[in-house]
Amino acid sequence: MISRLQHARLAYQPKLPAVFREHGAGAASRDGDVHAPAHDGERIRGFFPNVYRLPMVSFDDDVCAPPVTQDPICVGVIFSGGQAPGGHNVVAGLVDGLKSLHPDNRLIGFLGGPGGLLRNDVVELTPEHIGPYRNTGGFDLIRSDRTKLESEEQFEAVRKHCNARGISALVIIGGDDSNTNACYLAEYFIRSNAGIQVIGCPKTIDGDLKNEWIESSFGFDTACKVYSELVGNIYRDALSAGKYWHFIRIMGRSASHIALECALQTHPNITLISEEVAHDNLTLLDITDRIAAVICERAAAGRNYGLLLVPEGLIEFIPEMRVLISELNDLLANDASLQRTLASAPDEAALTACGLTAASAAAYKSLPAEIRSQLVMDRDPHGNVQVSKIETEKLLIRKVAERLRERRAAGEYLGAFSAQNHFFGYEGRCAAPSNFDADYCYSLGYTGAALIGAGKTGCIAAIRNLHKPAEDWQPFGVPVTSMMNIERRGGKEKPVIKKALVDLHQPPFCELAAHRAEWAVADEFVSPGPIQYFGPGTITDLPPLTLLLEKGVSINGDIG
Amino acid sequence: MISRLQHARLAYQPKLPAVFREHGAGAASRDGDVHAPAHDGERIRGFFPNVYRLPMVSFDDDVCAPPVTQDPICVGVIFSGGQAPGGHNVVAGLVDGLKSLHPDNRLIGFLGGPGGLLRNDVVELTPEHIGPYRNTGGFDLIRSDRTKLESEEQFEAVRKHCNARGISALVIIGGDDSNTNACYLAEYFIRSNAGIQVIGCPKTIDGDLKNEWIESSFGFDTACKVYSELVGNIYRDALSAGKYWHFIRIMGRSASHIALECALQTHPNITLISEEVAHDNLTLLDITDRIAAVICERAAAGRNYGLLLVPEGLIEFIPEMRVLISELNDLLANDASLQRTLASAPDEAALTACGLTAASAAAYKSLPAEIRSQLVMDRDPHGNVQVSKIETEKLLIRKVAERLRERRAAGEYLGAFSAQNHFFGYEGRCAAPSNFDADYCYSLGYTGAALIGAGKTGCIAAIRNLHKPAEDWQPFGVPVTSMMNIERRGGKEKPVIKKALVDLHQPPFCELAAHRAEWAVADEFVSPGPIQYFGPGTITDLPPLTLLLEKGVSINGDIG
């Protein structure tokens, strides 16, 4: 059963770049330069001798060339990893683009992500099948999983399944790791003459798959707009009630892009940015001191309320916590039975007896019981701390309350501190895409079809000029190797797509840094409200503010 | 600073009932019958001899009468209690209605709720002042508090402040308790010849201020739509990921209307309704058994995911928990030092030694440590358990996991259970009002002005036919006494407005009961998406589904 809004949205025709609108996915492709990665070029070439020498691909507005393949083809597609709004539109754009190349082209979806690719579990994705999923959220059309495609045995299994089905191209919709593995797969297929192209597509709400070529990963805009709606509503509640501090943890484990975007949209009193905490080497005590200082300043102005945003991954960026988590992971990997001993250790001596260093024992002991338990008892299948399940917002509330008691005892604080905690993540991952994401995803899918039509492989579908109207968007393909560097992973040096952290010197963070002192004390909040699909284009089609800032577009004064 | 959407919404002109659109708030009023309350009439008359004899008031479409007062008047207004979307529109409707009576009429807002009324803290609410708050959420225009206006000293202070400012009418925007107290105040003013009318306005997102005359309290629609957006998004995530059960606690302490409305909008696998739990005398074990049964049934169909909705107030409706909470409240009221003893009691003997009955000691001991701590450590200023802070969704996850372990041991369950917990409350209380609430609230404010113009007091502004287009709405005034009954509160019998609980025999609950078996096992969820302000009226102006059902409107098949 579908809602009235979903029914209306089925009729929405996503906007395409002019080149595709005019020529379909058969628009003439143009090979550009070969772009070496910024670092480690020779070593990366060693891993990917074939993909490495591939050029950038753009599509030409002026010429209409026939597609490279004149015979009908069959293409496979998977979602890989966590959900992001707009995934269904990538598939819709892909199928429509393929049909624009040849009406008999076919699209096969592998069910359940990379795992389904290995199990050879498929469904044919006809336009009729995809119809009810257009402009909807979620990945439920073909689902996803977190299986990592990285071994030659897996690659060979994929080759066999694709060859047997006559699949000559595979589109992998995933984040940085999935696209890195897509590159290995492309290289393997070239080397083994498999006759299968591999095209990646940049997905992640976290926004950390972003670089010189990729302006934004899809889903980021919608997720941030959902979270900002909620943050704006809660700030207005804080202001209306005048008695609560709301501490809101928000998705984004490795990078704080979501927290930053939501902060720019809503102007919280305090926004923690993990990258800044790491850069400034701030301890938990430093952080809680700074928070307490703002709370005291607001209390002195009669404002015993406020709002703090904290990224999900913060705890791993606090130096002493990062060390503690790493020590706990090592200890428990060796001896899982230590879980209960650590959980019930009465003092620091007992903790060091388990193998923690004195510093980590002290750090552990300084945490509230609930957080200690989350650190040692909630482990993932590999025995690691589940950072995303640690209620950092509650940890901060407890530690800040301690600081405030000290300040009160010292006569520095006369206010009242009552806090509410929140976590926003699952609320936004499967929201129906905003117009920006609906258009962007559909165009990405179409770009994937065009790259396939042009016979390309080993590249990611990308779009430039996302800050402009969709007709001015420039679709292109970029070989995955161009965005790689070498990192140490699991004890080995590996070529991987570099994750984009928040850059403390770039405009989005600078915008926050320039205003946060003012937002801390005054009530300068903004309430963006829910995503709108009808009405003025300035509301429905607004791109993420971080994207606008990165493109040099001012976001001041353009509101209201 | 305001968002683009808020800027656009400032221009929205809420829809009014035809009678006001044509005649302004000076529409001719018509006195109707005197309606005795359904029960305890004579006793209620004893408390309110003057208000009790007042008639219903309606407004006539056909006649345009001059307002009763020809001289300009000055009116006061307060918000009382928790925030609800649309409060600002009540004030906007009130000021516009007053101006339609006489351009020199004035509106004074008391700042900070009933407390501000006692402190005599005011701001003049001119149309210019109200301008930026039209169609916004929150109560930040004049804020609110939870001070109870119930003593004669308070009434006398209010009289003095109002008389001194020339205020001849007071509008109290609040829930059932605030409107009950508004009635006491009206009675006091009649008795003391204060020359001050009192008009109430039905506010609460909980939806429990509802009866023969009040079809819906304002704010309920918007809050439920925000929560349903989130529930729908999360269900789609559950379906896409295929690996989590989401347990979502949702506001609504005394009544489960919010959970019911959200369930009708989204079709969760399991919805707990507190009133049904109490009616069927279900223990915590019964409830967790039923949940576990659904989880097992879904797991058998390969569905190790799902969504459960639980109302915030559930725990007080579970028989043994209600007794436990009551015993804890009594014990801790007498001796607060028992907190720590109870929190660290090693066994049931230690608990009974503190004064708990054996049954309550067992109930307490059966709870997870975290919940035990929330029960005894988090007390409100009166020493009572803070039911709204108890993480019932986590309690259910823990207890259900125990049940599932037993079932697994018995070979009855082969699935995997991994759960995520959520609480939604503050996300919806201050959301910008839906068109329904924007129109309803504005019309309520206008009705308030019309009742004042007609010289009425002791009544609540209300509107009939809310399931029809706004022009067909029928505004009227109903004396508060008509909706009262006698209840025992704090050891005394008191006349109060009867709270509306979910009626297990009425259409909204019956609709849930008729479909829940099917929703439990299949994936029949609906994703309503975010509130829309532009676009088709069938989307933007849809009233709550519970309201439609109560009005005999079918909600089947009208979607899609």
Side-chain angles (χ1 to χ4, degrees):
Chain A
M1 194 164 158
I2 64 172
S3 67
R4 292 179 179 207
L5 175 58
Q6 193 175 328
H7 184 73
R9 283 296 284 177
L10 289 181
Y12 177 72
Q13 181 55 46
K15 299 185 271 296
L16 274 178
V19 61
F20 290 147
R21 219 180 46 202
E22 286 162 29
H23 306 294
S29 70
R30 187 191 294 269
D31 285 357
D33 296 337
V34 173
H35 277 276
H39 303 284
D40 312 312
E42 283 314 301
R43 293 166 68 195
I44 291 166
R45 185 209 296 260
F47 284 95
F48 304 100
N50 293 293
V51 173
Y52 193 88
R53 62 183 168 73
L54 299 177
M56 302 274 288
V57 186
S58 59
F59 295 93
D60 212 310
D61 232 0
D62 306 325
V63 194
C64 183
V68 170
T69 2
Q70 291 291 2
D71 292 332
I73 56 170
C74 182
V75 172
V77 63
I78 60 165
F79 291 126
S80 177
Q83 285 71 40
H88 289 159
N89 269 29
V90 176
V91 178
L94 184 58
V95 80
D96 290 354
L98 288 172
K99 293 289 179 190
S100 80
L101 289 173
H102 194 299
D104 295 335
N105 282 349
R106 292 168 59 218
L107 182 64
I108 302 287
F110 287 90
L111 292 169
L117 191 52
L118 298 173
R119 283 191 310 274
N120 200 10
D121 190 3
V122 303
V123 64
E124 174 137 10
L125 297 170
T126 61
E128 294 67 38
H129 190 92
I130 288 171
Y133 292 88
R134 288 177 190 264
N135 308 305
T136 62
F139 280 5
D140 44 302
L141 171 66
I142 49 172
R143 300 192 313 277
S144 176
D145 81 346
R146 294 186 183 274
T147 302
K148 297 221 175 296
L149 282 184
E150 39 191 12
S151 74
E152 297 247 326
E153 292 71 33
Q154 290 175 321
F155 296 163
E156 183 54 22
V158 173
R159 187 195 62 73
K160 262 197 222 157
H161 300 329
C162 287
N163 284 164
R165 295 191 181 277
I167 289 174
S168 61
L170 193 58
V171 175
I172 295 179
I173 302 169
D176 52 342
D177 281 351
S178 302
N179 277 290
T180 293
N181 291 337
C183 189
Y184 275 98
L185 191 62
E187 182 70 26
Y188 179 84
F189 285 162
I190 301 175
R191 176 152 51 88
S192 59
N193 261 318
I196 308 169
Q197 301 159 248
V198 180
I199 306 292
C201 189
K203 170 228 71 172
T204 168
I205 63 161
D206 287 354
D208 53 9
L209 175 44
K210 180 163 75 169
N211 50 47
E212 192 180 341
W213 294 279
I214 298 175
E215 295 183 352
S216 183
S217 54
F218 81 74
F220 174 75
D221 179 63
T222 306
C224 287
K225 281 178 174 155
V226 172
Y227 303 144
S228 295
E229 173 196 356
L230 303 179
V231 171
N233 286 356
I234 289 176
Y235 198 131
R236 201 178 263 280
D237 199 299
L239 182 65
S240 298
K243 62 182 178 184
Y244 291 123
W245 267 88
H246 294 270
F247 279 45
I248 304 176
R249 177 167 48 111
I250 202 157
M251 265 196 182
R253 178 167 165 191
S254 307
S256 305
H257 298 291
I258 294 179
L260 179 54
E261 172 69 24
C262 293
L264 295 172
Q265 288 195 28
T266 63
H267 306 180
N269 303 113
I270 305 173
T271 305
L272 300 175
I273 299 293
S274 300
E275 291 84 344
E276 187 184 28
V277 166
H279 176 267
D280 294 351
N281 230 359
L282 300 182
T283 64
L284 183 56
L285 187 65
D286 294 332
I287 295 168
T288 49
D289 265 343
R290 290 181 182 198
I291 297 170
V294 172
I295 293 174
C296 289
E297 198 179 350
R298 287 182 64 82
R303 301 196 178 111
N304 286 302
Y305 60 87
L307 192 145
L308 172 145
L309 271 194
V310 52
E312 184 186 29
L314 177 79
I315 197 162
E316 279 192 313
F317 287 76
I318 301 173
E320 76 271 24
M321 293 298 152
R322 179 188 279 271
V323 173
L324 169 64
I325 289 171
S326 158
E327 288 185 24
L328 286 174
N329 284 345
D330 288 348
L331 283 178
L332 292 171
N334 291 328
D335 182 1
S337 73
L338 280 176
Q339 265 187 314
R340 292 191 175 279
T341 323
L342 284 163
S344 60
D347 53 27
E348 293 176 28
L351 291 164
T352 50
C354 288
L356 285 182
T357 59
S360 286
Y364 181 79
K365 215 48 204 171
S366 76
L367 298 172
E370 206 176 334
I371 304 295
R372 290 202 304 268
S373 163
Q374 287 166 2
L375 274 174
V376 300
M377 300 306 288
D378 295 341
R379 317 294 295 183
D380 71 14
H382 310 288
N384 289 320
V385 169
Q386 300 203 65
V387 173
S388 63
K389 286 205 167 182
I390 297 175
E391 296 176 299
T392 314
E393 73 285 15
K394 282 194 183 174
L395 167 62
L396 292 176
I397 289 171
R398 296 284 190 96
K399 302 302 282 183
V400 165
E402 283 173 19
R403 294 270 80 67
L404 292 173
R405 277 193 293 273
E406 293 163 14
R407 282 178 167 251
R408 183 187 300 284
E412 297 163 10
Y413 172 61
L414 305 169
F417 178 65
S418 182
Q420 300 283 349
N421 58 285
H422 310 266
F423 170 53
F424 297 138
Y426 297 97
E427 292 78 0
R429 297 199 320 173
C430 286
S434 63
N435 275 4
F436 175 83
D437 269 329
D439 298 347
Y440 178 35
C441 290
Y442 187 77
S443 298
L444 280 175
Y446 225 91
T447 306
L451 289 167
I452 291 168
K456 304 301 174 185
T457 189
C459 62
I460 292 185
I463 292 179
R464 273 191 228 275
N465 282 348
L466 289 175
H467 60 301
K468 295 188 178 169
E471 64 170 21
D472 298 331
W473 288 356
Q474 291 176 2
F476 66 108
V478 52
V480 185
T481 46
S482 303
M483 48 187 84
M484 283 186 169
N485 68 353
I486 300 281
E487 292 181 20
R488 224 180 152 72
R489 297 266 178 104
K492 272 193 189 161
E493 301 225 305
K494 286 187 65 176
V496 295
I497 297 178
K498 192 175 155 64
K499 246 190 218 303
L501 301 185
V502 169
D503 187 326
L504 305 182
H505 301 291
Q506 289 296 311
F509 179 80
C510 293
E511 179 81 11
L512 172 70
H515 291 99
R516 59 184 166 184
E518 173 195 338
W519 297 347
V521 186
D523 284 319
E524 294 283 338
F525 83 105
V526 181
S527 197
I531 291 174
Q532 296 297 301
Y533 296 109
F534 311 98
T538 49
I539 292 174
T540 56
D541 293 0
L542 184 68
L545 299 183
T546 46
L547 174 72
L548 292 179
L549 289 166
E550 281 160 352
K551 286 290 186 175
V553 180
S554 162
I555 61 167
N556 289 324
D558 84 330
I559 292 175
Chain B
M1 194 164 159
I2 65 171
S3 68
R4 292 180 180 205
L5 176 57
Q6 193 175 329
H7 184 73
R9 283 296 283 176
L10 290 182
Y12 177 72
Q13 180 56 47
K15 299 186 271 296
L16 274 179
V19 60
F20 291 147
R21 219 181 47 203
E22 286 161 30
H23 307 295
S29 69
R30 186 191 296 267
D31 285 357
D33 296 336
V34 173
H35 277 276
H39 303 284
D40 312 312
E42 283 314 299
R43 292 166 68 196
I44 291 166
R45 185 210 294 261
F47 283 96
F48 304 100
N50 293 293
V51 173
Y52 193 90
R53 63 182 168 71
L54 299 177
M56 301 274 288
V57 186
S58 59
F59 295 92
D60 212 311
D61 231 0
D62 307 324
V63 195
C64 184
V68 171
T69 3
Q70 292 288 3
D71 292 332
I73 56 171
C74 181
V75 172
V77 63
I78 60 165
F79 291 127
S80 177
Q83 285 72 39
H88 289 158
N89 270 29
V90 176
V91 178
L94 184 58
V95 79
D96 290 354
L98 289 172
K99 293 290 180 189
S100 80
L101 289 173
H102 193 299
D104 295 334
N105 282 349
R106 293 167 58 217
L107 183 64
I108 302 289
F110 287 90
L111 292 168
L117 192 51
L118 297 174
R119 283 191 310 274
N120 201 10
D121 190 3
V122 302
V123 64
E124 174 138 10
L125 297 171
T126 62
E128 294 68 37
H129 189 92
I130 287 171
Y133 292 88
R134 287 177 190 264
N135 306 305
T136 62
F139 280 5
D140 44 301
L141 171 66
I142 48 173
R143 300 194 311 280
S144 177
D145 81 346
R146 294 186 184 274
T147 301
K148 297 218 176 298
L149 282 184
E150 40 192 10
S151 73
E152 298 247 326
E153 292 71 34
Q154 290 175 322
F155 297 162
E156 183 54 22
V158 173
R159 188 196 61 74
K160 261 199 218 155
H161 299 329
C162 288
N163 283 165
R165 294 191 182 278
I167 290 173
S168 61
L170 193 58
V171 175
I172 295 179
I173 302 169
D176 52 341
D177 280 350
S178 302
N179 277 289
T180 294
N181 291 337
C183 189
Y184 275 98
L185 190 61
E187 182 71 26
Y188 179 84
F189 285 162
I190 300 173
R191 176 155 50 89
S192 60
N193 261 318
I196 308 170
Q197 301 159 250
V198 181
I199 306 292
C201 188
K203 171 227 70 169
T204 169
I205 63 162
D206 287 354
D208 54 8
L209 176 43
K210 181 162 73 170
N211 50 47
E212 192 181 340
W213 295 279
I214 298 175
E215 295 183 353
S216 182
S217 54
F218 80 76
F220 174 74
D221 179 64
T222 305
C224 288
K225 281 179 175 154
V226 172
Y227 303 144
S228 295
E229 172 196 357
L230 303 179
V231 171
N233 287 355
I234 288 176
Y235 198 132
R236 201 178 263 282
D237 198 298
L239 182 66
S240 298
K243 62 180 177 184
Y244 291 123
W245 268 88
H246 293 270
F247 279 46
I248 304 177
R249 177 168 47 112
I250 203 158
M251 264 194 182
R253 179 165 165 192
S254 308
S256 305
H257 299 290
I258 294 178
L260 179 55
E261 172 70 25
C262 293
L264 295 172
Q265 289 195 26
T266 63
H267 307 182
N269 303 112
I270 305 172
T271 305
L272 301 175
I273 298 293
S274 300
E275 290 84 345
E276 187 184 28
V277 167
H279 177 267
D280 293 351
N281 231 358
L282 301 181
T283 64
L284 183 56
L285 186 65
D286 295 331
I287 295 168
T288 50
D289 265 342
R290 291 181 182 199
I291 297 171
V294 172
I295 292 174
C296 289
E297 198 179 351
R298 287 182 63 83
R303 302 197 178 110
N304 286 301
Y305 59 87
L307 192 145
L308 172 145
L309 272 193
V310 52
E312 183 186 32
L314 177 79
I315 198 162
E316 279 191 313
F317 288 77
I318 301 173
E320 76 272 24
M321 293 298 153
R322 180 188 279 271
V323 173
L324 168 64
I325 290 170
S326 155
E327 287 185 24
L328 286 175
N329 284 346
D330 287 349
L331 283 179
L332 292 170
N334 291 326
D335 181 1
S337 72
L338 280 176
Q339 265 187 314
R340 293 193 173 277
T341 322
L342 285 164
S344 60
D347 53 28
E348 294 177 27
L351 291 164
T352 49
C354 288
L356 284 182
T357 59
S360 286
Y364 181 79
K365 213 50 202 169
S366 77
L367 299 172
E370 206 175 335
I371 304 295
R372 291 203 303 268
S373 162
Q374 287 167 3
L375 275 173
V376 299
M377 300 305 289
D378 295 342
R379 317 296 293 185
D380 73 11
H382 310 288
N384 289 320
V385 169
Q386 299 203 65
V387 173
S388 63
K389 287 206 167 183
I390 296 175
E391 297 176 299
T392 314
E393 73 285 15
K394 283 195 183 175
L395 167 63
L396 292 176
I397 289 172
R398 297 284 189 96
K399 301 303 281 181
V400 165
E402 284 174 18
R403 295 270 80 68
L404 291 173
R405 276 192 294 273
E406 293 164 14
R407 281 176 168 253
R408 182 186 301 282
E412 298 163 8
Y413 172 60
L414 304 169
F417 178 66
S418 182
Q420 300 282 350
N421 59 284
H422 309 266
F423 169 53
F424 297 138
Y426 297 98
E427 292 78 0
R429 298 200 318 173
C430 286
S434 63
N435 274 4
F436 175 83
D437 268 330
D439 298 347
Y440 178 34
C441 289
Y442 187 78
S443 298
L444 280 175
Y446 225 91
T447 306
L451 290 167
I452 291 168
K456 304 301 174 184
T457 190
C459 62
I460 291 186
I463 292 178
R464 272 191 229 274
N465 282 346
L466 289 174
H467 60 301
K468 296 190 178 170
E471 63 170 20
D472 297 331
W473 288 356
Q474 291 175 1
F476 66 108
V478 51
V480 184
T481 46
S482 303
M483 48 187 84
M484 283 186 170
N485 69 352
I486 299 280
E487 291 179 21
R488 224 178 153 73
R489 297 264 178 103
K492 271 193 190 160
E493 301 226 305
K494 285 187 64 177
V496 295
I497 297 177
K498 192 174 157 64
K499 246 191 217 304
L501 300 186
V502 169
D503 187 326
L504 305 182
H505 302 290
Q506 289 297 309
F509 179 80
C510 294
E511 179 81 12
L512 172 70
H515 290 98
R516 58 182 165 186
E518 172 195 339
W519 298 346
V521 185
D523 285 318
E524 294 283 339
F525 82 104
V526 181
S527 197
I531 291 174
Q532 297 297 302
Y533 297 109
F534 311 99
T538 50
I539 293 174
T540 55
D541 293 359
L542 185 67
L545 299 183
T546 46
L547 174 72
L548 293 178
L549 289 165
E550 280 160 351
K551 285 292 184 173
V553 180
S554 162
I555 61 167
N556 289 324
D558 84 331
I559 291 175

